[in-house]
Amino acid sequence: MQQDQLLDLYRDMWLIRAFEQALEREFEQGGVPGMLHTGLGQEATQAALASQLEATDCFFPDHRCHGINALAQERHKGDGERIMAELFGKSTGVCSGKGGSLHSADPSVGNYGDNAVEGSYMATVLGVALAAKMRGEAKVACAIIGDGTVGRGEFHESLNMAAIWDLPVLYACVNNGYAIATPVGEGHASADIVDLARGYGFPCEQVDGNDIVAAHEAVGKAISHIRAGKGPYFLEFKTWRWQGIFAGEFRPEAEVKYWREDHDPILLANDALEAMGVSQAQRSAIESEQVGRIEEWITFAKESPNPELAKATADVYVGWEVASS
Amino acid sequence: MSTSTTKRTSFTKALNDALDQGMDRFDEMFLIGEDIGEMGGDFGVTRKLWAKYGAERVRDTPLSEAAIIGTCVGASMVGMRPVAEIMFADFLGECYDQIVNNAAKLHYMFDGQFKAPLVIRTACGGGFGGGPHHSQSVEGWFLNVPGIVIVAPSNPEDAKGLLLASIESDDPVLFLEHKALYRARGEVPTGYYTTPLGSAAIAREGTDITVVATMRMVPMALSAAEALDADGISVEVVDLRTIRPYDAETVLASVAKTGRAVVANEAPKIGGLGAELSARIHEECFSELQAPVGRVDGLDSPIPFSVPLEHEILPDEADITAAIRTTMEASR
Ligand SMILES: Cc1ncc(C[n+]2csc(CCOP(=O)(O)OP(=O)(O)O)c2C)c(N)n1
Ligand SMILES: [Mg+2]
């Protein structure tokens, strides 16, 4: 990979990390309502996807995808702060605060919305892909799911239907080792999700989701395959999430150390840049630039007004009004 | 309302005509479901459409109800107009999440950025020995879900007009087809027309009592009304046609006029349409009411296979007649 490209991805990864760390802080201080799942530790996988899906493509983000959502806004419209505002439930958010962390969408940047019922959009993605195929559009429809979500029946219905109809679907399975506290090998017949996907007969690949170069290359290859009209593609990203469970850290100390110190995606990219001769000063500048940007987004979100109360019953139906009191 | 030419047509054929005329008119429309293609569907509603429109637009699927409705949701998000067939309404549980959490909510939760103009046609209702998993009335499963439209025709003319209106609608529609009505026949306009959603019909005018009925309960209520004429009881029958959002204005105006009401619905009594209508009528017509609202529903039970047992559970014309008489007698 060229140095410039790696620098761009490094910048993207830092945007995600800064976003999630600031969000975690604000959440602890009580400024962010609801529940919070962060993408910390999964920045390489997320940047690899966000940097290669176009605004005319479609992706269904999962509950850890604030970073992908923000990157998509930044890249295609330059308004990543609207993802932050959405998480604060504010009127300036992408869904005017009605969706929040688990339901942020903006189709104009390719974001078709998260769904807090894990795996639901494994079925929905088929329809976007089918419509693209019927219309002859070269659209990629991507569903991003966790390893735990593989347990849903929709997972198998979806892979089967995408296979028999040759649909342009990119399945991006983020295997971070656990579904809440259930280890992937206990929840599924195989700890390697690709083994479960292979039976459907389209290309399936497992990649180190913390290695930005490998992840980026795998996504690029999958997207070219799909755009060429060759049907679905399954990618499993091996990664690890920093966030434990609500009660705290439950995973073995050595495992935590490996993923956070020895195999952290940002540290790995940092080392690669150093090897290419990018100075410490330049790398630090990227970090502080992104941290500063995110603090501006936090301020924007906090200072934005709440939605008008009339929004509460707006858009229940297209064809009918619902009484507001 | 419509074109002048009419033809005597079955409920099934009226639905088939609606799909045909819809497919002809809307390029973005497609049909999807199990064995709806060459076979024409379990009840023959999609017959000959596969031959006419091809396998791209008349799509057979595996037994994957969640994927069928998920496909409709996704396709409708990008402007297609899919019409799914779920063979039996009892199987809506397999795609409940897609309907309730996606189709019904995405316009709202994504702040109007998406619409879900899809139709889910499904065969519901009992009375033919289908047993516990092929006989249910499911409107109550969806009545409590804002964002969904529930349409429930009682005759061939409405079946066609309501289906075309459902296809035109930008909201997701659950279109209930009572199995006992498929063979019903009536005059149906041959051209393209729509019957408005959210609008009830006065199926019969009367002055003493209003029966608000849905689907198969409508012909039963009409027949009961004819018979009661001889006893000097004048029954008005309101065919609700759309169950959600329902036409409260027509229902309440009729009850305000007659001063009495019976609500007739095949689903189990507790927590369903009958409960909602009865509560609403009591709330809004209390001063006009001369008797408590009478109720005709299914018993609070699953539906058994044995024909006499099934008769025990499901309401029929005699139950409607009895409820009308009781309500008349209870009048103050
Ligand atoms: C259908 C459904 N079941 C359960 C949940 C509750 N839940 C939220 S996240 C989660 C674990 C998901 O695990 P995984 O897919 O591996 O994602 P991760 O959080 O590890 O990124 C569960 C069970 C849900 N949201 N939806
Ligand atoms: Mg996981």
Side-chain angles (χ1 to χ4, degrees):
Chain A
M1 181 178 285
Q2 300 289 313
Q3 184 177 305
D4 281 356
Q5 193 171 18
L6 188 54
L7 275 171
D8 282 345
L9 291 165
Y10 188 69
R11 203 170 278 118
D12 287 350
M13 287 196 280
W14 261 113
L15 186 104
I16 301 171
R17 180 151 300 178
F19 188 108
E20 299 287 43
Q21 287 186 319
L23 190 64
E24 226 169 37
R25 181 193 72 212
E26 297 298 321
F27 183 77
E28 275 156 26
Q29 291 170 7
V32 181
M35 295 159 286
L36 187 67
H37 313 84
T38 72
L40 290 168
Q42 303 179 173
E43 294 87 350
T45 296
Q46 297 194 346
L49 288 163
S51 60
Q52 297 182 83
L53 289 164
E54 301 305 327
T56 46
D57 289 327
C58 150
F59 66 93
F60 288 93
D62 84 353
H63 55 296
R64 300 195 183 276
C65 284
H66 311 139
I68 294 193
N69 299 345
L71 282 174
Q73 296 296 140
E74 269 306 274
R75 195 166 149 234
H76 303 301
K77 274 167 105 178
D79 61 358
E81 71 279 5
R82 294 186 60 218
I83 293 295
M84 189 65 85
E86 186 62 33
L87 302 186
F88 279 72
K90 296 300 184 70
S91 61
T92 51
V94 288
C95 298
S96 304
K98 287 172 79 170
S101 160
L102 296 171
H103 312 275
S104 301
D106 182 348
S108 68
V109 304
N111 180 353
Y112 281 56
D114 185 15
N115 184 315
V117 183
E118 300 289 342
S120 269
Y121 51 70
M122 285 297 278
T124 322
V125 72
L126 296 167
V128 178
L130 176 64
K133 190 170 176 177
M134 288 173 79
R135 289 165 169 166
E137 297 167 354
K139 195 190 203 75
V140 173
C142 174
I144 303 165
I145 57 158
D147 50 282
T149 305
V150 171
R152 290 291 308 279
E154 277 84 343
F155 176 90
H156 302 278
E157 289 192 18
S158 181
L159 268 64
N160 184 50
M161 211 113 118
I164 60 175
W165 289 348
D166 255 335
L167 297 180
V169 181
L170 170 57
Y171 295 104
C173 179
V174 182
N175 183 352
N176 56 20
Y178 299 87
I180 305 189
T182 303
V184 58
E186 287 180 24
H188 304 301
S190 167
D192 295 308
I193 304 298
V194 276
D195 289 346
L196 303 176
R198 277 205 179 98
Y200 294 100
F202 50 81
C204 297
E205 202 179 319
Q206 191 179 57
V207 59
D208 181 347
N210 281 18
D211 177 343
I212 184 61
V213 177
H216 186 272
E217 193 184 302
V219 170
K221 203 168 106 187
I223 288 179
S224 312
H225 169 98
I226 297 167
R227 278 207 215 291
K230 294 182 184 165
Y233 205 105
F234 190 96
L235 285 176
E236 174 186 2
F237 300 90
K238 286 275 199 189
T239 181
W240 196 84
R241 58 174 147 88
W242 285 13
Q243 203 175 26
I245 51 175
F246 286 116
E249 187 51 77
F250 63 102
R251 297 161 294 191
E253 213 173 296
E255 181 180 320
V256 175
K257 181 185 172 302
Y258 171 76
W259 288 101
R260 289 192 68 143
E261 291 170 25
D262 307 335
H263 209 62
D264 173 71
I266 289 191
L267 292 179
L268 291 177
N270 189 59
D271 291 349
L273 286 170
E274 188 171 23
M276 284 175 168
V278 177
S279 71
Q280 172 70 50
Q282 202 181 339
R283 286 176 275 137
S284 301
I286 288 176
E287 174 180 345
S288 18
E289 178 202 333
Q290 297 299 47
V291 169
R293 181 194 311 266
I294 294 301
E295 290 310 323
E296 285 170 20
W297 291 6
I298 295 271
T299 308
F300 170 78
K302 283 183 166 169
E303 288 176 355
S304 288
N306 281 320
E308 302 280 339
L309 289 184
K311 273 274 181 196
T313 52
D315 296 323
V316 176
Y317 289 97
V318 180
W320 288 270
E321 298 282 328
V322 169
S324 57
S325 59
Chain B
M1 162 220 273
S2 50
T3 54
S4 46
T5 350
T6 68
K7 196 176 159 195
R8 199 161 164 78
T9 310
S10 72
F11 194 93
T12 305
K13 184 67 172 73
L15 293 169
N16 181 265
D17 286 349
L19 294 176
D20 189 3
Q21 290 173 13
M23 288 286 276
D24 189 51
R25 181 170 292 221
F26 302 110
D27 288 342
E28 63 274 24
M29 179 175 159
F30 67 91
L31 308 181
I32 180 168
E34 294 161 24
D35 295 298
I36 63 160
E38 195 168 8
M39 196 190 106
D42 237 29
F43 296 94
V45 176
T46 58
R47 272 178 66 182
K48 299 189 177 160
L49 299 177
W50 180 84
K52 183 165 176 186
Y53 296 101
E56 266 291 291
R57 291 184 68 203
V58 182
R59 293 199 156 247
D60 276 328
T61 70
L63 278 75
S64 299
E65 283 77 11
I68 293 169
I69 303 305
T71 299
C72 293
V73 172
S76 69
M77 286 170 87
V78 290
M80 301 293 278
R81 291 193 178 269
V83 178
E85 175 173 302
I86 296 295
M87 201 179 277
F88 285 85
D90 311 68
F91 310 155
L92 288 169
E94 312 318 304
C95 45
Y96 196 71
D97 171 53
Q98 286 299 326
I99 301 171
V100 167
N101 288 316
N102 283 343
K105 290 185 179 52
L106 57 83
H107 184 61
Y108 180 87
M109 70 184 179
F110 298 132
D111 196 32
Q113 296 181 101
F114 296 101
K115 293 176 197 161
L118 58 93
V119 181
I120 302 166
R121 298 181 30 251
T122 191
C124 69
F128 76 114
H133 292 166
H134 288 81
S135 306
Q136 294 174 85
S137 293
V138 299
E139 48 273 33
W141 301 2
F142 296 92
L143 195 57
N144 210 235
V145 179
I148 195 84
V149 179
I150 309 173
V151 176
S154 73
N155 62 68
E157 181 180 353
D158 283 351
K160 179 175 172 184
L162 288 169
L163 184 49
L164 283 168
S166 300
I167 291 162
E168 285 188 6
S169 167
D170 280 337
D171 288 300
V173 176
L174 178 64
F175 193 90
L176 301 175
E177 301 169 3
H178 197 294
K179 293 184 281 285
L181 294 173
Y182 276 134
R183 288 190 186 155
R185 296 178 83 81
E187 287 297 318
V188 174
T190 52
Y192 186 101
Y193 65 95
T194 58
T195 303
L197 304 184
S199 155
I202 307 286
R204 182 187 198 274
E205 288 194 26
T207 52
D208 296 329
I209 185 165
T210 301
V211 177
V212 186
T214 54
M215 296 187 273
R216 188 163 73 131
M217 294 286 104
V218 176
M220 287 180 179
L222 289 171
S223 170
E226 291 306 319
L228 286 163
D229 243 2
D231 294 354
I233 302 174
S234 166
V235 181
E236 178 145 305
V237 177
V238 175
D239 179 351
L240 204 57
R241 300 200 294 193
T242 299
I243 290 177
R244 175 183 245 285
Y246 68 86
D247 181 359
E249 210 178 303
T250 298
V251 171
L252 298 172
S254 172
V255 178
K257 179 183 86 175
T258 61
R260 299 179 191 87
V262 164
V263 295
N265 167 245
E266 188 176 306
K269 183 165 189 153
I270 293 178
L273 178 62
E276 163 61 23
L277 290 173
S278 165
R280 183 80 177 264
I281 293 168
H282 282 119
E283 245 171 15
E284 304 210 20
C285 296
F286 191 69
S287 57
E288 289 99 337
L289 277 179
Q290 297 181 42
V293 174
R295 300 209 23 206
V296 178
D297 316 84
L299 300 187
D300 198 36
S301 163
I303 298 171
F305 171 67
S306 148
V307 173
L309 292 187
E310 184 182 22
H311 279 167
E312 191 63 14
I313 301 298
L314 298 182
D316 58 17
E317 184 181 329
D319 295 316
I320 298 175
T321 305
I324 292 171
R325 286 196 189 283
T326 308
T327 306
M328 292 304 296
E329 282 156 19
S331 300
R332 54 186 173 203

